[in-house]
Amino acid sequence: MSAQESVETERKYDADLETPLPAFGDIAGVDQVADPADHQLEAVYFDTDGLILAKHRITLRRRTGGTDSGWHLKLPADRGTRVEIQAPLGQPETVPEELAEKVLVFTRDDELRPVARIHTRRTVHRLHGSEDVTLADFADDHVTAETLHPVQMERKWREWEIELVHGDEALFESAERVLSGTGATPSGHASKLARAFGTAWPAAVPAPPKARPKGSAGDAVVAYIAAQIAEITALDSGVRQGADDAVHRMRSAARRLRSTLSAYGRLFDADAGDRLKAELKWLTKVLGKARDAEVLRDRIGELLNDQADGVVPATAASRISDELETAFNSGYREMLRSLGTKRYFRLLDGLETFRDEPPTRPRAGKKARPVTAKLTAKAIKRVRRSQKEAAQQAGAQRDMALHQVRKDAKRLRHAAEALQDVHGKPAAKLARNAQKIQKILGEHQDSVVSRSVLLRLANDTVGSVEDNSPYGPLLAAEEQRAADSGARYEKLAKKKRLNPL
């Protein structure tokens, strides 16, 4: 059985042992209440020695009893909601692989172990509206909790929990008035586990600084860096599970980080920035093998589909498709191996340290607008120099030069994106114009790579390229694509100006 994912929306309240149950019928929309159902719940919570999941407000438990026995992983979502992922009970001490993989980006190479055991005597009152629609479940919990690591203690308390089923937020507002009337108060703890640990519960990972138009240059850049780190963290499990577009998006986030560290490197310690850039280059290369193979597979597959029947024999088309699929699978397997290494985990550590304790230079403390405008101007000059160089080249040398223009435009785009909260519309416009150059030249580079692969396949076949009719039409189509993208770039380069901020 595979894991199942759902979103839970609930509110918790503290109640004294002698507090009477609320009058459920006074809650707006509640027409009837089902007979109470009693459950005995036993839950063992897992975390690392350093309680890293707790710091990220994630809970992982194995629970027996009730209607949903099994492993439960709860991830924070929007206010008042959490994503819950469930898996079958399995073995008591072995976290299911599909759940462990979801949190690997946080736990890294630290082992998950039992940190608390909680027994709950629960009575559930199901609240129904008109036409017997279940609006919410009200749980009256008597809790006994024992923490196992890093401290050992025992606590007992009573709490109420109301979780929406088909009801809406308005039910919460009405319920809070009714529950407050009994003397119950909104819980000061996010979870039973937090209450069990009490003062030993770790502080949450701090929020990064926000970019402000009148703030410092360092804060502006670190805020953007923090957003990209969050993107990598959010995408990690999707990349491992083959979710659509996850590899592409994680690679883009890594590239944004590297571009930002390059464009604004003068604001930070050079050694720290260089170490991260080198490791981010490695990560983008690791992700790129799978992503580039995927793009190439889809691109040449599209060319094959566009050809008239019989132009490319089935045997040749099959050979091409098999080779491209093999390259993708090989790249994906290598990527998965790399994402399980200490090197990847130490990169994540390094990024978080840079975010939380930025190694800034004095210049980073100056006002963001003038400092970042000057640094962005250098990125613009870099693009202009590479454009000038490309204009003087032809043939294969021109292809290489246009690829450099593309890389410099991408770096400029990311540098401008990082400043949209500081410079507003001018930064957004600069990012768009740089992206247009990058996109067209990205298509051109895809064509260059596609042609090189097709030429290699053709040369591996007996006979000359010209005599290999299966490849001739495909090469001709790619050459036309390259010519079209090259012409569009020339037109754009004359029309679009990269104006300094």
Side-chain angles (χ1 to χ4, degrees):
M1 252 180 107
S2 60
Q4 296 180 337
E5 185 172 318
S6 61
V7 176
E8 63 174 22
T9 305
E10 63 185 22
R11 292 190 183 179
K12 297 177 181 292
Y13 296 84
D14 294 336
D16 294 334
L17 292 176
E18 65 278 5
T19 301
L21 288 173
F24 298 119
D26 292 343
I27 300 174
V30 175
D31 289 345
Q32 56 181 315
V33 181
D35 292 336
D38 293 325
H39 304 283
Q40 299 291 332
L41 310 176
E42 293 284 349
V44 177
Y45 288 78
F46 287 71
D47 207 330
T48 65
D49 284 344
L51 299 181
I52 191 64
L53 296 185
K55 291 177 181 178
H56 286 276
R57 299 308 184 243
I58 296 169
T59 57
L60 172 63
R61 73 187 180 204
R62 182 182 186 270
R63 191 171 75 182
T64 57
T67 59
D68 59 350
S69 293
W71 288 86
H72 303 156
L73 172 64
K74 296 187 178 184
L75 305 168
D78 297 330
R79 176 185 174 275
T81 66
R82 302 225 289 175
V83 174
E84 180 174 327
I85 304 168
Q86 299 184 14
L89 279 171
Q91 297 301 315
E93 299 293 327
T94 305
V95 178
E97 183 177 350
E98 60 266 41
L99 299 190
E101 195 172 72
K102 288 280 189 183
V103 296
L104 191 59
V105 71
F106 302 108
T107 60
R108 296 163 198 177
D109 40 15
D110 289 340
E111 184 180 355
L112 287 165
R113 57 172 293 176
V115 295
R117 185 175 290 109
I118 297 180
H119 171 80
T120 303
R121 179 163 54 86
R122 168 170 291 180
T123 302
V124 177
H125 303 264
R126 178 148 284 190
L127 311 182
H128 297 286
S130 59
E131 300 180 0
D132 204 33
V133 173
T134 303
L135 300 177
D137 284 336
F138 177 91
D140 180 17
D141 291 346
H142 289 75
V143 184
T144 301
E146 176 191 7
T147 60
L148 309 173
H149 181 84
V151 296
Q152 292 183 334
M153 65 181 78
E154 183 173 308
R155 296 174 182 272
K156 295 183 178 181
W157 70 88
R158 184 188 183 194
E159 70 178 36
W160 292 343
E161 179 182 295
I162 184 164
E163 180 178 354
L164 294 183
V165 179
H166 297 296
D168 56 23
E169 289 286 334
L171 185 141
F172 273 153
E173 303 306 317
S174 177
E176 180 151 330
R177 290 191 293 270
V178 174
L179 270 59
S180 296
T182 68
T185 58
S187 178
H189 302 88
S191 65
K192 288 181 173 63
L193 188 61
R195 186 161 185 174
F197 274 97
T199 57
W201 186 244
V205 174
K210 293 186 178 181
R212 294 176 290 111
K214 295 184 180 180
S216 72
D219 281 354
V221 175
V222 170
Y224 185 74
I225 287 173
Q228 304 317 309
I229 296 173
E231 179 79 349
I232 289 175
T233 301
L235 290 167
D236 180 272
S237 65
V239 167
R240 298 176 191 279
Q241 295 169 15
D244 288 346
D245 209 34
V247 174
H248 170 57
R249 290 173 59 196
M250 181 186 277
R251 186 190 189 192
S252 295
R255 281 175 163 172
R256 285 186 172 93
L257 281 167
R258 189 161 175 254
S259 294
T260 304
L261 290 169
S262 295
Y264 303 111
R266 295 189 180 187
L267 302 179
F268 307 98
D269 176 75
D271 290 340
D274 288 345
R275 284 194 298 271
L276 284 180
K277 285 191 292 183
E279 292 306 285
L280 286 165
K281 183 177 182 179
W282 164 77
L283 179 59
T284 56
K285 184 177 180 180
V286 164
L287 297 167
K289 287 186 178 180
R291 173 59 182 169
D292 290 344
E294 181 182 35
V295 169
L296 195 60
R297 179 192 65 188
D298 294 345
R299 184 181 183 89
I300 295 180
E302 182 182 327
L303 284 179
L304 287 169
N305 290 334
D306 288 344
Q307 302 301 310
D309 290 342
V311 171
V312 180
T315 53
S318 178
R319 177 174 178 242
I320 294 170
S321 298
D322 289 347
E323 171 136 346
L324 296 175
E325 190 66 30
T326 298
F328 170 74
N329 290 334
S330 174
Y332 195 81
R333 286 193 298 269
E334 182 178 342
M335 178 194 71
L336 290 179
R337 286 193 296 270
S338 297
L339 294 186
T341 62
K342 289 183 180 294
R343 184 174 185 178
Y344 174 60
F345 297 146
R346 297 297 77 79
L347 169 57
L348 295 176
D349 291 342
L351 289 171
E352 290 172 352
T353 298
F354 192 99
R355 176 198 65 196
D356 299 337
E357 303 171 16
T360 54
R361 292 177 173 177
R363 194 176 183 184
K366 296 183 178 180
K367 290 185 178 180
R369 282 188 175 179
V371 171
T372 55
K374 288 181 181 179
L375 294 175
T376 308
K378 294 181 181 296
I380 293 174
K381 289 180 180 179
R382 186 185 181 100
V383 175
R384 289 173 177 167
R385 283 196 302 268
S386 59
Q387 285 182 312
K388 185 176 181 180
E389 176 67 22
Q392 299 171 355
Q393 304 298 329
Q397 293 299 316
R398 180 173 180 268
D399 289 338
M400 293 175 60
L402 288 177
H403 184 42
Q404 185 61 49
V405 175
R406 178 202 177 199
K407 291 192 291 185
D408 291 340
K410 183 183 296 183
R411 175 173 170 172
L412 172 59
R413 171 197 168 188
H414 297 157
E417 284 177 345
L419 303 178
Q420 290 189 39
D421 288 339
V422 174
H423 291 276
K425 291 182 179 180
K429 182 177 180 180
L430 179 59
R432 284 197 304 271
N433 288 341
Q435 183 182 20
K436 289 175 182 177
I437 295 173
Q438 171 202 332
K439 184 176 181 181
I440 290 176
L441 292 183
E443 295 173 9
H444 188 273
Q445 180 63 15
D446 288 345
S447 183
V448 171
V449 174
S450 177
R451 279 181 288 156
S452 70
V453 170
L454 290 170
L455 280 170
R456 177 177 58 78
L457 289 171
N459 288 325
D460 287 345
T461 307
V462 178
S464 66
V465 173
E466 291 77 9
D467 294 336
N468 280 320
S469 57
Y471 300 97
L474 298 176
L475 283 165
E478 275 295 13
E479 287 169 359
Q480 185 60 51
R481 281 181 166 185
D484 291 344
S485 59
R488 284 190 288 124
Y489 162 71
E490 296 294 345
K491 183 178 179 180
L492 181 68
K494 293 178 182 178
K495 179 180 178 183
K496 291 292 183 183
R497 293 182 57 83
L498 300 173
N499 297 317
L501 300 175

